[in-house]
């Protein structure tokens, strides 16, 4: 009996090989497109939720220095320990305050020594002046590349994950005598560097060796205070914001940077400003040295809101497009299958004449649809397997079962609606 | 054996409803060889469709050995078509991508008979009809006469009590027509009831009774 069901499939294949091939390709292409759209939609939804979780209730403010000329000169005097200590105290107070998170994400280019690097990593690449980032320091040819110094809060606030290797641990934030800095690389670096690789850099005029300890997950973003934009980490080197307390020029420069960072809190700007000013006073400083920026907050908050709403819009539009595509595809494929089946109606009529029931006919159609959906699925599986996308493979299998069932039901429905189903006058 | 009472069948044509059978009353006895003649469109084929239970009449009654066929459920109707009714069509009704063997075996598969018995019955039927040499051929490799013999072998293997033949010689030349008529006569003489629709007067003469149809009615 089963052989009769297969006989129908073989007959259709034999008589309509091109039509069947087109249907298989259509199903395959639609399923491939659909699983990808679903994937994008899920990602976009996740991002929207993530944005909401990260930034929905959190307000971003920033702290900035307001050094005047004389104060600035005093700060750089090697014997001005008093001001340095005040800044250090202020930084410690900011970091330890329980009312907000103090996030250090400082853009500080590294100058890679003697190692050719792709233009996309150069500091000025995005502005079109990438060549300006290649120059000599002494005898060394240096490539000035995009880099970021971050504190541990950076990973929490921007939900930055590691795709390979490890993240920074507490000891990585402490400067060591060997001048070795552990670094994390953006995903675009994965083609040219690996975990364990080392390279020399000039970092704030000091020579350091960077040791690659991991890679940042692709398409991770951070908020750049200077441009009020969300920036991708893909082309960045991420270094720990080192804690150097030797009162050298290097440590003074670092300290100055550490106090030009983001403050994240669910409290209002007025509330945080009061806390900020109290910490400033506690450290023996006043508003002439550092200021709390709530104008920046308004701008940044809008950026986050825009990002969040854009992501939600994209998610919604993608879902709608996916739904529309799948409905139209299923209808058109079902109609093509119905035509094929109708063209081979005599097969069913002969079978019915000799004892087949309508259930047998439905099973023949079902098996036919199942096989062509299965072939289309196999094609997609091979493509996804070659792309190493196992997550989409699982989604595809679920989709295949759903689409196959939907097409089979639609085909059977259309076919059973033919009033002249058993009109054998011309068929035999 | 077969009793039709006041059978009415109408088709919805685009222009309007047209009646194919207008209150047909017919009794067919067991072992009878009934031939039905009439012009095209007079309702002969519709009558056969009703007899093999693939067309439900709008009204009337259909009894087969006392059983009301029109009251049977789908499953019972399938069994009725499979066991009691054999059908021979003008264009042979063979499945083109199946061999002669597979075509003849088709009704036996739906009867869920064991493979060995199916095989035996298929070869017996092919031998009786005389086309056992074509067992592995496909329909397109057969002549018109061989195709019709294959269709008759299928009915023979099916071992149906009633054989309905819709213009079985309509696509054949004279020699093959004579052969098929001979085979039909032989089947009738072995006890099978035959209802044969034809345009050919000579073929109609082969039956034990002939009825003529006109405008959906049986003329006396």
């Amino acid at each position: 009996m089963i052989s009769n069901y297969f006989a129908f499939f073989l007959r259709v294949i034999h008589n309509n090989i091109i039509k069947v091939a087109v249907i298989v390709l259509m199903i395959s292409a639609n399923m491939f497109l659909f699983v990808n759209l679903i994937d994008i939609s899920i990602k976009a939804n996740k991002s929207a939720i993530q944005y909401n979780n990260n930034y929905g209730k959190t307000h971003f403010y920033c702290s900035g220095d307001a050094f005047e000329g004389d104060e600035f000169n005093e700060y750089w005097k090697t014997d001005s320990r008093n001001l340095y200590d005040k800044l250090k105290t202020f930084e410690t107070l900011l970091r330890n305050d329980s009312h907000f998170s103090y996030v250090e994400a400082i853009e500080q280019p590294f100058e890679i020594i003697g190692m050719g690097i792709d233009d996309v990593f150069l500091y000025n690449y995005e502005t079109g002046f990438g060549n300006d980032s290649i120059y000599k320091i002494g005898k060394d040819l240096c490539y000035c590349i995009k880099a970021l110094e971050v504190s541990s809060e950076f990973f929490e606030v921007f939900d930055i994950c590691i795709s390979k290797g490890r993240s920074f641990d507490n000891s990585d934030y402490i400067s060591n005598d060997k001048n070795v800095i552990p670094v994390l690389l953006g995903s675009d670096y994965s083609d040219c560097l690996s975990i364990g690789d080392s390279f020399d850099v000039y970092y704030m005029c000091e020579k350091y060796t960077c040791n690659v300890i991991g890679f940042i997950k692709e398409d991770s973003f951070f908020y750049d205070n200077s441009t009020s934009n969300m920036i991708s980490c893909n082309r960045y080197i991420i270094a720990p914001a080192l804690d150097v307390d030797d009162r050298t020029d290097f440590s003074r420069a670092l300290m100055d940077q550490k106090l030009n960072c983001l403050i994240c809190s669910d409290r209002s700007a007025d509330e945080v400003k009061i806390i900020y000013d109290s910490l400033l006073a506690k450290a023996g400083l006043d508003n002439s040295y550092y200021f709390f920026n709530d104008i920046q907050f308004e701008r940044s908050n809008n950026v986050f809101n825009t990002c969040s709403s854009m992501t939600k819009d994209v998610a919604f539009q993608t879902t709608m497009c996916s739904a529309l595509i799948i409905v139209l595809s299923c209808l058109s494929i079902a109609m093509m299958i119905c035509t094929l089946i109708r063209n081979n109606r005599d097969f069913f009529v002969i079978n019915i004449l000799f004892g087949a029931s309508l259930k047998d006919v439905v099973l023949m159609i079902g098996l036919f649809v199942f096989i062509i959906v299965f072939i289309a699925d196999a094609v997609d599986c091979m493509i996804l397997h070659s792309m190493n996308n196992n997550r989409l493979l699982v989604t595809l299998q679920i989709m295949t079962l759903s689409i196959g069932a939907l097409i089979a039901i639609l085909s059977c429905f259309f076919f059973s609606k033919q009033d002249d189903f058993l009109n054998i006058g011309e068929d035999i | 054996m077969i009793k039709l009472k006041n059978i009415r069948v109408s088709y919805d044509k685009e222009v309007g409803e047209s009646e194919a059978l207008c209150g047909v009353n017919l009794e067919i006895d067991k072992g009878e060889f009934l031939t039905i003649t009439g012009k095209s469109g007079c309702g002969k084929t519709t009558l056969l469709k009703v007899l093999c239970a693939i067309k439900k009449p709008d009204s009337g009654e259909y009894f087969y050995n006392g059983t009301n066929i029109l009251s049977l459920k789908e499953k019972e109707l399938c069994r009725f078509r499979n066991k009691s009714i054999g059908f021979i069509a003008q264009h042979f009704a063979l499945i083109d991508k199946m061999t002669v063997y597979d075509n003849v075996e088709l009704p036996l598969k739906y009867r869920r008979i064991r493979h060995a018995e199916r095989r035996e019955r298929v070869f017996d039927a092919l031998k009786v009809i005389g086309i056992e040499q074509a067992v592995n051929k496909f329909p397109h490799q057969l002549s018109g006469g061989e195709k019709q013999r294959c269709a008759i072998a299928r009915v023979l293997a099916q071992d149906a009590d009633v054989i309905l033949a819709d213009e079985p010689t309509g696509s054949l030349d004279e020699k093959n027509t004579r052969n098929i008529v001979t085979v039909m006569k032989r089947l009738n003489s072995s006890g099978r009831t035959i209802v044969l629709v034809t345009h050919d007067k000579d073929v109609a003469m082969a039956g034990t009774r002939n009825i003529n149809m006109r405008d959906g009615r049986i003329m006396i």
Side-chain angles (χ1 to χ4, degrees):
Chain A
M1 191 97 112
I2 298 287
S3 61
N4 273 9
Y5 301 165
F6 277 107
F8 171 69
F9 174 75
L10 293 174
R11 183 184 201 240
V12 177
I13 287 275
H14 198 275
N15 291 346
N16 308 274
I17 184 75
I18 294 171
K19 280 183 190 169
V20 172
V22 169
I23 289 174
V24 167
L25 283 176
M26 273 182 72
I27 295 173
S28 176
N30 278 308
M31 286 199 305
F32 189 77
L33 184 66
F34 187 66
V35 287
N36 277 287
L37 279 173
I38 286 288
D39 192 54
I40 292 167
S41 176
I42 290 168
K43 274 185 185 168
N45 263 321
K46 265 187 186 171
S47 301
I49 292 165
Q50 208 170 301
Y51 262 105
N52 208 35
N53 291 341
N54 287 349
Y55 314 121
K57 290 174 185 171
T58 306
H59 302 300
F60 285 79
Y61 314 104
C62 78
S63 165
D65 73 65
F67 280 129
E68 294 294 330
D70 292 344
E71 291 156 349
F72 197 64
N73 289 336
E74 188 202 332
Y75 178 63
W76 287 103
K77 283 180 189 167
T78 49
D79 57 350
S80 66
R81 291 185 179 176
N82 185 33
L83 184 54
Y84 177 83
D85 288 342
K86 283 178 184 174
L87 297 189
K88 176 73 185 163
T89 306
F90 184 46
E91 193 245 350
T92 309
L93 288 169
L94 284 172
R95 291 189 68 173
N96 294 336
D97 194 277
S98 59
H99 301 100
F100 51 71
S101 294
Y102 188 67
V103 183
E104 293 171 29
I106 309 145
E107 190 140 7
Q108 177 59 55
F110 280 13
E111 288 149 333
I112 293 189
I113 305 165
M115 184 179 85
I117 197 110
D118 198 293
D119 286 355
V120 296
F121 302 115
L122 294 175
Y123 184 68
N124 286 321
Y125 175 76
E126 280 78 9
T127 59
F129 297 99
N131 286 339
D132 294 352
S133 302
I134 305 170
Y135 44 79
K136 275 193 167 183
I137 298 176
K139 289 178 183 174
D140 298 324
L141 180 63
C142 295
Y143 296 83
C144 184
I145 55 162
K146 293 180 278 283
L148 208 59
E149 293 168 16
V150 301
S151 61
S152 57
E153 290 82 4
F154 169 82
F155 297 96
E156 291 164 24
V157 168
F158 295 112
D159 197 32
I160 307 283
C161 299
I162 306 299
S163 61
K164 271 191 283 182
R166 66 168 180 88
S167 187
F168 300 131
D169 56 31
N170 289 337
S171 63
D172 292 328
Y173 292 98
I174 299 164
S175 177
N176 55 50
D177 299 337
K178 294 171 187 169
N179 275 14
V180 173
I181 309 177
V183 291
L184 294 167
L185 303 180
S187 58
D188 288 358
Y189 273 101
S190 58
D191 292 336
C192 52
L193 287 168
S194 306
I195 293 170
D197 286 352
S198 306
F199 52 92
D200 293 334
V201 296
Y202 282 114
Y203 169 49
M204 293 173 75
C205 303
E206 299 275 335
K207 209 167 187 177
Y208 275 86
T209 298
C210 291
N211 188 16
V212 181
I213 62 165
F215 283 86
I216 301 285
K217 195 175 155 192
E218 193 179 358
D219 292 334
S220 300
F221 289 84
F222 67 95
Y223 178 66
D224 180 30
N225 192 23
S226 61
T227 58
S228 302
N229 272 328
M230 295 300 288
I231 308 273
S232 165
C233 294
N234 291 359
R235 294 172 180 175
Y236 272 79
I237 287 184
I238 312 282
L242 294 176
D243 195 6
V244 186
D245 196 10
D246 57 4
R247 292 175 174 79
T248 57
D249 282 354
F250 181 71
S251 65
R252 281 172 209 284
L254 277 181
M255 183 53 67
D256 182 37
Q257 283 184 342
K258 280 169 177 276
L259 289 167
N260 283 279
C261 292
L262 281 173
I263 294 170
C264 312
S265 173
D266 53 2
R267 291 167 184 256
S268 71
D270 290 340
E271 284 178 282
V272 177
K273 188 175 181 340
I274 292 167
I275 299 164
Y276 182 87
D277 287 344
S278 73
L279 297 179
L280 206 57
K282 219 184 257 184
L285 297 164
D286 59 42
N287 289 338
S288 66
Y289 290 99
Y290 282 93
F291 64 91
F292 173 81
N293 197 342
D294 60 341
I295 298 169
Q296 193 69 20
F297 146 69
E298 292 295 343
R299 285 168 63 202
S300 63
N301 199 41
N302 285 341
V303 169
F304 288 121
N305 284 341
T306 308
C307 280
S308 176
S309 62
M310 274 173 67
T311 314
K312 280 175 193 163
D313 286 348
V314 168
F316 176 73
Q317 285 165 4
T318 311
T319 309
M320 293 312 290
C321 284
S322 311
L324 192 66
I325 285 172
I326 196 70
V327 168
L328 291 176
S329 307
C330 282
L331 280 174
S332 61
I333 292 166
M335 281 174 179
M336 283 179 78
I337 291 173
C338 282
T339 310
L340 268 188
I341 292 167
R342 266 207 303 276
N343 291 346
N344 289 277
R345 197 174 56 171
D346 57 330
F347 182 91
F348 301 123
V349 176
I350 293 168
N351 274 272
I352 283 170
L353 268 175
F354 290 98
S357 63
L358 207 60
K359 191 184 87 185
D360 293 316
V361 172
V362 167
L363 282 172
M364 284 176 202
I365 297 169
L367 183 75
F368 170 73
V369 175
F370 176 80
I371 293 175
I372 59 171
V373 171
F374 179 79
I375 296 169
D377 175 55
V379 172
D380 283 347
C381 280
M382 281 191 286
I383 296 170
L384 288 173
H385 184 70
S386 65
M387 290 165 65
N388 279 330
N389 199 333
N390 291 326
R391 192 167 48 80
L392 272 191
L393 260 176
V394 175
T395 315
L396 176 75
Q397 296 318 312
I398 297 166
M399 289 315 306
T400 303
L401 288 175
S402 316
I403 293 171
L406 189 62
I407 293 175
I409 290 166
L410 283 173
S411 303
C412 293
F413 176 75
F414 283 133
F415 195 61
S416 65
K417 282 286 170 192
Q418 300 298 310
D419 292 335
D420 58 347
F421 178 63
L422 294 177
N423 184 5
I424 61 165
E426 296 83 32
D427 289 316
I428 54 173
Chain B
M1 186 183 200
I2 291 173
K3 195 170 188 182
L4 297 180
K5 277 187 184 174
N6 200 25
I7 294 289
R8 288 181 179 276
V9 174
S10 57
Y11 292 109
D12 292 327
K13 294 272 170 85
E14 282 176 18
V15 185
E17 199 173 84
S18 78
E19 219 167 15
L21 294 178
C22 317
V24 169
N25 292 295
L26 179 65
E27 284 191 34
I28 304 167
D29 294 329
K30 186 172 168 53
E32 199 174 349
F33 188 162
L34 176 70
T35 56
I36 304 173
T37 50
K39 288 180 180 172
S40 293
C42 68
K44 304 185 298 289
T45 301
T46 304
L47 181 60
L48 281 194
K49 284 186 197 176
V50 172
L51 285 173
C52 69
I54 60 168
K55 179 76 189 169
K56 203 168 187 177
D58 301 333
S59 64
E61 289 175 305
Y62 173 14
F63 291 98
Y64 179 88
N65 285 341
T67 306
N68 187 352
I69 296 301
L70 301 182
S71 67
L72 294 181
K73 289 178 180 168
E74 154 89 1
K75 209 173 178 180
E76 293 162 328
L77 276 176
C78 291
R79 202 175 301 136
F80 168 69
R81 283 194 291 263
N82 181 257
K83 284 194 168 177
S84 306
I85 305 287
F87 197 93
I88 299 166
Q90 179 180 356
H91 299 297
F92 323 118
L94 299 173
I95 295 171
D96 48 6
K97 295 296 178 286
M98 283 183 171
T99 61
V100 166
Y101 178 90
D102 292 329
N103 269 290
V104 175
E105 191 193 28
L106 184 70
L108 304 179
K109 278 187 174 175
Y110 286 110
R111 211 176 290 180
R112 299 179 194 281
I113 295 173
R114 281 185 306 111
H115 180 260
E117 191 184 338
R118 286 206 308 262
R119 191 177 167 78
E120 193 183 325
R121 286 174 71 160
V122 169
F123 275 102
D124 284 351
L126 291 173
K127 263 180 205 165
V128 169
I129 299 301
I131 53 161
E132 68 269 34
Q133 78 286 350
V135 66
N136 291 321
K137 285 186 178 175
F138 288 92
H140 69 270
Q141 297 169 310
L142 303 176
S143 68
E146 284 175 320
K147 281 179 190 172
Q148 200 57 288
R149 279 164 177 270
C150 176
I152 294 170
R154 180 168 56 189
V155 170
L156 205 59
Q158 188 184 358
D159 197 22
D161 296 329
V162 178
I163 296 171
L164 305 175
D166 189 9
E167 310 243 16
T169 57
S171 304
L172 304 178
D173 57 20
E174 260 185 56
K175 188 187 166 195
N176 277 309
T177 298
R178 275 200 305 275
N179 286 337
I180 294 301
V181 169
T182 309
V183 171
M184 298 299 271
K185 275 183 174 173
R186 224 164 66 205
L187 290 174
N188 178 240
S189 62
S190 66
R192 289 179 178 84
T193 307
I194 292 175
V195 179
L196 188 148
V197 166
T198 183
H199 275 110
D200 190 326
K201 282 181 183 171
D202 292 338
V203 175
M205 296 287 283
T208 54
R209 179 162 64 119
N210 172 247
I211 56 170
N212 187 255
M213 287 188 74
R214 190 187 296 166
D215 298 332
R217 289 182 177 83
I218 293 172
M219 312 306 291
I220 302 164

